[in-house]
Amino acid sequence: MKNDLKELTIQNVLIIGYVWVEPNSSAAGSRMMQLIEQFLKYNYRITFASPAQKSEKATSLNSLGIDEVSIELNNASFDDFITELQPEIVMFDRFMMEEQFGWRVAENCPNAIRILDTEDLHFLRKTRHQQLKKGEEFTTEALLKSDDAKREIAAILRCDMSLIISTYEMDLLKSVFKVDEKILYYLPFLLDKIDEHQQEKWKSFDERANFVFIGNFFHKPNVDAVLTLKTEIWSEIREQLPKAEVHIYGAYANQQINQLHNKKEGFIIKGFAEDAKEVVRNARVVLAPLRFGAGIKGKLTEAMICGTPSVTTEIGAEGMCDRFPWNGFVENDFSDFALISAELYRNKNLWKSHQLTGAEIINEIYDKEKLGVLFINQIKEIQENLEQHRTQNFLGNLLQHQTLQSTKYMSKWIEAKNSIQ
């Protein structure tokens, strides 16, 4: 496909959000803002609707000229809303929103292209977590038995286009689950290139101090990573570096996280960071001992953007750097993880050699100018051939037909039940 953008007429985009957008709280929030920015760049009119409660950390989309609408689950008011709006594009934020609203979109706006932004493959993350809790090895067989996999892949099949965030997840869907790549679209984070001028602004090795971990604590992999850092890794790092501190940042820290705070041990719980990049710019090393998860890790691309080397696991780096060397180290053994983290922290030459590799990864894999044009062109191409595109997606048509009936009548039953109460 060519890189030049096809001519656009102004179209309406409806984004159905699982939550309201919090770009400072999570990588998912940042990802959603990146997609919104692409639609705005090419003059789409955006309406963002969500059934979730809005928190004080949610960004104001109204200030960007985006209509914000609260919608209800299992309520025919959504049918009236979308019939009046008549969007040309509907994007579901995670498969749960497609399950809830997909049949209503298909029924009331049959010609709207339906896009699923998976964020990451939820079934992959959940299955890994379940296998870890059981003390069992993660296997393809466990994925194939997962009810969550059946639900999420059904949603992918019902949509015209699903955005897949990592190369690992693309390969998994195509090779293990045999999903037709015509309905899959690889779209990683959309990030600004890091030029030499920005690199010159990076703080030097000597201007930085402390290890840092940052992540949203509604996200279970982050809770587990901090517990792992405390119980498996930090004491060994402190043996090597008795004065070192690790600062733990993140929105929605619970009691389990807060009670890990121990100033004497240098394990400092800091809580929500108003400016995550500022925190990472001042740190010397980012630690991310992730034992399960999926997708692209925002904390690790953030480290690359800030010129901060990181140490993570294979799960952490999965699908993120293609053929390029990591901007730090990837290590699964936690004793070795501690040793290499301490060495990276104190060895200036080693640290500087890994700092620059992050910029190469961002510039080659996550260039938003190049990726954005291709993304919008792909939408246009599907729109121009929508009938044929759907005809070729037989399994999607089959599921759309069956799901439309079962989900529709379950929803109408709930709706009727609610009206009686």
Side-chain angles (χ1 to χ4, degrees):
M1 188 184 298
K2 60 184 182 179
N3 282 4
D4 59 306
L5 190 69
K6 293 177 181 177
E7 190 177 340
L8 288 174
T9 55
I10 293 177
Q11 296 187 354
N12 288 306
V13 180
L14 171 63
I15 301 173
I16 303 177
Y18 179 66
V19 294
W20 294 95
V21 185
E22 296 184 23
N24 294 327
S25 297
S26 69
S30 297
R31 160 69 160 190
M32 181 52 71
M33 280 306 301
Q34 291 164 13
L35 296 175
I36 286 171
E37 285 167 4
Q38 287 303 312
F39 285 125
L40 288 175
K41 180 176 179 181
Y42 297 111
N43 298 315
Y44 286 89
R45 281 192 294 261
I46 304 173
T47 301
F48 191 97
S50 177
Q53 292 291 314
K54 190 180 288 190
S55 84
E56 60 185 20
K57 294 185 176 69
T59 196
S60 170
L61 297 175
N62 284 148
S63 65
L64 299 173
I66 296 168
D67 291 332
E68 296 182 355
V69 178
S70 289
I71 52 177
E72 291 185 53
L73 301 172
N74 305 307
N75 195 306
S77 60
F78 180 84
D79 300 343
D80 299 331
F81 158 68
I82 196 167
T83 299
E84 185 178 346
L85 184 65
Q86 282 298 311
E88 284 83 7
I89 299 167
V90 177
M91 187 166 77
F92 304 100
D93 169 27
R94 289 164 261 206
F95 78 92
M96 298 81 86
M97 292 297 94
E98 190 281 336
E99 285 183 330
Q100 286 288 342
F101 295 101
W103 69 270
R104 292 184 184 272
V105 172
E107 198 169 71
N108 293 289
C109 294
N111 296 322
I113 177 175
R114 299 186 296 272
I115 301 173
L116 173 60
D117 179 33
T118 58
E119 296 285 356
D120 59 30
L121 292 179
H122 290 58
F123 73 82
L124 174 61
R125 172 164 30 87
K126 287 183 77 171
T127 303
R128 281 174 165 163
H129 191 194
Q130 288 160 1
Q131 295 301 98
L132 185 65
K133 286 192 290 187
K134 291 180 194 172
E136 297 177 4
E137 188 178 344
F138 169 73
T139 61
T140 297
E141 186 180 3
L143 282 179
L144 290 168
K145 289 178 177 178
S146 163
D147 287 341
D148 290 302
K150 296 179 182 78
R151 285 176 60 196
E152 190 162 7
I153 288 173
I156 288 170
L157 290 170
R158 285 191 296 266
C159 287
D160 301 308
M161 176 184 187
S162 287
L163 308 182
I164 310 302
I165 207 163
S166 82
T167 53
Y168 177 88
E169 293 182 0
M170 281 291 286
D171 291 341
L172 181 73
L173 289 170
K174 289 191 288 187
S175 63
V176 174
F177 294 97
K178 312 302 181 188
V179 178
D180 187 343
E181 63 182 322
K182 290 189 185 75
I183 62 169
L184 302 176
Y185 190 75
Y186 168 59
L187 190 70
F189 286 164
L190 305 165
L191 304 173
D192 291 315
K193 293 186 84 167
I194 305 170
D195 59 26
E196 289 182 9
H197 179 64
Q198 286 171 276
Q199 291 177 34
E200 286 166 5
K201 288 183 178 178
W202 284 343
K203 289 195 172 182
S204 68
F205 176 88
D206 295 318
E207 290 174 307
R208 297 170 181 249
N210 306 317
F211 293 93
V212 72
F213 174 93
I214 192 161
N216 185 319
F217 292 110
F218 274 163
H219 197 54
K220 289 179 182 177
N222 288 332
V223 174
D224 181 79
V226 171
L227 293 171
T228 300
L229 184 56
K230 184 69 159 64
T231 59
E232 304 279 343
I233 296 168
W234 185 243
S235 62
E236 290 194 46
I237 291 179
R238 283 279 280 194
E239 280 183 27
Q240 304 283 321
L241 303 165
K243 293 183 179 179
E245 291 182 354
V246 61
H247 294 177
I248 310 295
Y249 287 89
Y252 307 109
N254 56 21
Q255 186 180 356
Q256 188 181 26
I257 295 297
N258 287 326
Q259 69 187 11
L260 299 176
H261 180 84
N262 190 318
K263 192 160 180 60
K264 185 179 176 184
E265 294 176 3
F267 203 93
I268 314 297
I269 307 299
K270 291 281 194 174
F272 179 68
E274 291 291 343
D275 186 342
K277 284 194 175 70
E278 188 62 25
V279 165
V280 178
R281 280 188 204 105
N282 289 310
R284 192 173 288 175
V285 174
V286 167
L287 299 177
L290 294 158
R291 297 198 302 163
F292 66 98
I296 292 175
K297 318 307 181 297
K299 61 179 67 62
L300 296 174
T301 53
E302 206 159 55
M304 296 173 194
I305 290 165
C306 295
T308 310
S310 64
V311 185
T312 190
T313 57
E314 286 180 12
I315 293 281
E318 180 182 87
M320 284 191 64
C321 63
D322 197 12
R323 65 191 184 278
F324 298 99
W326 193 250
N327 75 317
F329 294 96
V330 177
E331 180 55 66
N332 286 342
D333 180 276
F334 290 132
S335 183
D336 290 340
F337 189 106
L339 289 172
I340 202 68
S341 298
E343 183 62 18
L344 183 60
Y345 189 88
R346 67 188 165 207
N347 186 326
K348 188 173 184 176
N349 289 333
L350 181 67
W351 185 90
K352 288 176 75 174
S353 70
H354 284 285
Q355 184 186 42
L356 293 174
T357 58
E360 190 175 20
I361 293 169
I362 296 294
N363 291 345
E364 291 297 325
I365 299 176
Y366 302 99
D367 176 9
K368 76 176 184 185
E369 295 302 321
K370 180 175 74 175
L371 294 170
V373 171
L374 293 171
F375 170 51
I376 299 298
N377 266 345
Q378 182 70 6
I379 291 173
K380 291 297 292 178
E381 192 163 299
I382 292 173
Q383 284 180 312
E384 288 167 7
N385 303 282
L386 189 58
E387 186 178 351
Q388 183 184 10
H389 183 78
R390 286 178 176 170
T391 300
Q392 291 176 345
N393 180 17
F394 178 77
L395 288 178
N397 280 321
L398 174 73
L399 284 169
Q400 190 66 256
H401 174 74
Q402 295 298 321
T403 308
L404 195 64
Q405 302 307 314
S406 59
T407 311
K408 175 180 178 178
Y409 290 112
M410 173 59 78
S411 183
K412 286 188 174 295
W413 178 81
I414 295 169
E415 189 179 329
K417 186 181 175 192
N418 290 342
S419 69
I420 294 168
Q421 293 173 351

